C-alpha cells in the first residue's frame, strides 16, 4: 500500500506501507506506523503526537524544530537523524533507537 504523508488518517495503523511526500509540514497524530518506508526525509517543523512508530527507517532524516508528544519509537533506525531545536515531551525510544542517535 502506498499513501501520501498528507493523507495519513488519525486512529489508523499502517503496516508494510510506503509513505510518500507531504505537501505541507508533517503533522501526524494518533497513528501507528509498523514496518513502513518513508520517501520523504525532511520532516522539519512537523508535529508528531500520540504515535507509535515500529521498525521504520529514518536514517539521515531532518526533524529540526519538530514537536513530539506522547510517541513511542521501537526498533526505529535513526542513524544521522537531526532533532536540533526540537521539543520532545513524554516520548519514549527503546535502547536501539537511542544507540543510533
Amino acid at each position: 500500500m502506498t499513501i501520501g504523508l498528507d493523507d495519513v488518517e488519525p486512529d489508523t495503523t499502517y503496516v508494510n506501507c510506503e509513505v510518500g511526500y507531504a505537501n505541507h509540514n508533517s503533522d501526524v497524530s494518533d497513528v501507528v506506523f509498523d514496518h513502513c518506508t518513508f520517501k520523504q526525509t525532511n520532516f522539519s517543523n512537523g508535529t508528531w503526537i500520540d504515535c507509535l512508530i515500529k521498525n521504520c527507517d529514518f536514517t539521515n532524516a531532518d526533524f529540526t524544530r519538530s514537536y513530539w508528544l506522547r510517541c513511542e519509537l521501537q526498533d526505529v533506525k535513526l542513524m544521522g537523524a537531526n532533532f536540533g531545536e526540537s521539543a520532545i515531551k513524554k516520548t519514549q525510544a527503546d535502547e536501539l533507537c537511542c544507540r543510533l542517535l
Side-chain angles (χ1 to χ4, degrees):
M1 173 172 149
T2 300
I3 186 167
L5 191 55
D6 290 334
D7 299 321
V8 168
E9 295 286 328
D11 300 315
T12 305
T13 298
Y14 297 95
V15 180
N16 294 319
C17 65
E18 182 177 81
V19 182
Y21 296 93
N23 294 317
H24 310 286
N25 290 345
S26 54
D27 296 325
V28 181
S29 65
D30 300 296
V31 173
V32 175
F33 291 114
D34 186 358
H35 287 88
C36 294
T37 58
F38 290 80
K39 289 184 176 183
Q40 181 167 323
T41 59
N42 184 356
F43 302 98
S44 61
N45 299 302
T47 301
W48 301 76
I49 299 174
D50 295 319
C51 296
L52 171 59
I53 303 171
K54 299 167 43 174
N55 300 296
C56 296
D57 187 352
F58 288 104
T59 300
N60 296 319
D62 182 9
F63 292 101
T64 304
R65 295 178 304 282
S66 60
Y67 179 76
W68 293 75
L69 178 64
R70 295 185 305 269
C71 293
E72 186 174 349
L73 305 172
Q74 299 175 353
D75 295 326
V76 175
K77 294 179 183 174
L78 295 170
M79 182 74 72
N82 182 1
F83 287 89
E85 301 178 49
S86 294
I88 303 173
K89 300 178 181 189
K90 298 181 181 177
T91 294
Q92 299 176 353
D94 64 14
E95 185 178 326
L96 176 63
C97 293
C98 294
R99 279 197 316 248
L100 296 177
L101 281 174

